[in-house]
Amino acid sequence: MSDGREKSYVLFPMGEKRFALPAEVVAELARPDHLQRFPHRTPLLAGVLVRRGRIVPVCDVAQILLGPDAPPRKFFLIANCQVGSSQEWTAIPVTGECELASLEPARVVEGAPAYVTGSVTAGAETVAVVDLEKLLAMETSQPNAPTPGASQSQLADTGQAGSPDPGTLETPR
């Protein structure tokens, strides 16, 4: 029985796990048209998409959520993200279709990462609610951020995962 505290969330898959974003920050779920890659030294930035006349950065957060062995992602969940003083779209690659659900929020579990702001229960599954801005800020707050191409042992030493293999993002044929 609900006490009326339910909120809408978008549950998104990352491999065998699911995570949630508050529905009010999600703009759309999209199949990738064409991911534009370019040389850079920003570990989470996979490239950019052009959606609805906008250039949208693609931030591959799977490396933080799952580690370097994250499975291929085939959709982009586009969410509003606070960048400086403005709201901007940011795309995050996900492994499958998302689900919109009205769920009752629960408190964050002690010891959860800083980017987890709470949890929701969907059936028998407890799903972490993610704060996208905090998740993306982890890249810039890590003093020992690896450079692209870092070895797995270097990644383990810093407690981070490096850039995904560019081939991990599937594109339609």
Side-chain angles (χ1 to χ4, degrees):
M1 187 82 152
S2 173
D3 65 2
R5 294 184 339 131
E6 287 186 345
K7 291 179 58 179
S8 291
Y9 294 92
V10 174
L11 306 177
F12 61 94
M14 286 281 189
E16 298 297 315
K17 292 184 173 184
R18 289 198 304 172
F19 297 89
L21 285 174
E24 64 265 13
V25 303
V26 176
E28 68 178 282
L29 177 65
R31 275 198 152 308
D33 294 324
H34 186 67
L35 179 65
Q36 300 288 322
R37 291 189 176 90
F38 48 88
H40 58 83
R41 297 184 56 89
T42 307
L44 292 182
L45 185 65
V48 297
L49 294 175
V50 177
R51 292 292 295 169
R52 303 181 192 272
R54 295 169 118 171
I55 296 175
V56 181
V58 176
C59 296
D60 195 359
V61 297
Q63 54 192 300
I64 293 174
L65 297 175
L66 301 178
D69 298 326
R73 274 85 58 211
K74 59 184 174 182
F75 294 103
F76 291 106
L77 182 63
I78 300 175
N80 289 304
C81 191
Q82 188 73 31
V83 178
S85 61
S86 64
Q87 288 281 331
E88 302 287 338
W89 278 1
T90 300
I92 57 172
V94 298
T95 58
E97 293 187 17
C98 299
E99 174 186 351
L100 178 64
S102 291
L103 302 167
E104 192 170 312
R107 293 180 189 217
V108 65
V109 177
E110 188 174 324
Y115 57 81
V116 174
T117 60
S119 65
V120 292
T121 302
E125 179 184 18
T126 299
V127 178
V129 177
V130 174
D131 180 318
L132 189 55
E133 284 95 6
K134 287 181 182 178
L135 184 59
L136 295 176
M138 289 189 67
E139 175 178 65
T140 57
S141 68
Q142 299 294 330
N144 299 325
T147 57
S151 70
Q152 293 305 316
S153 62
Q154 289 170 314
L155 299 175
D157 290 344
T158 63
Q160 295 182 342
S163 293
D165 176 348
T168 60
L169 291 174
E170 294 179 0
T171 55
R173 303 224 188 292

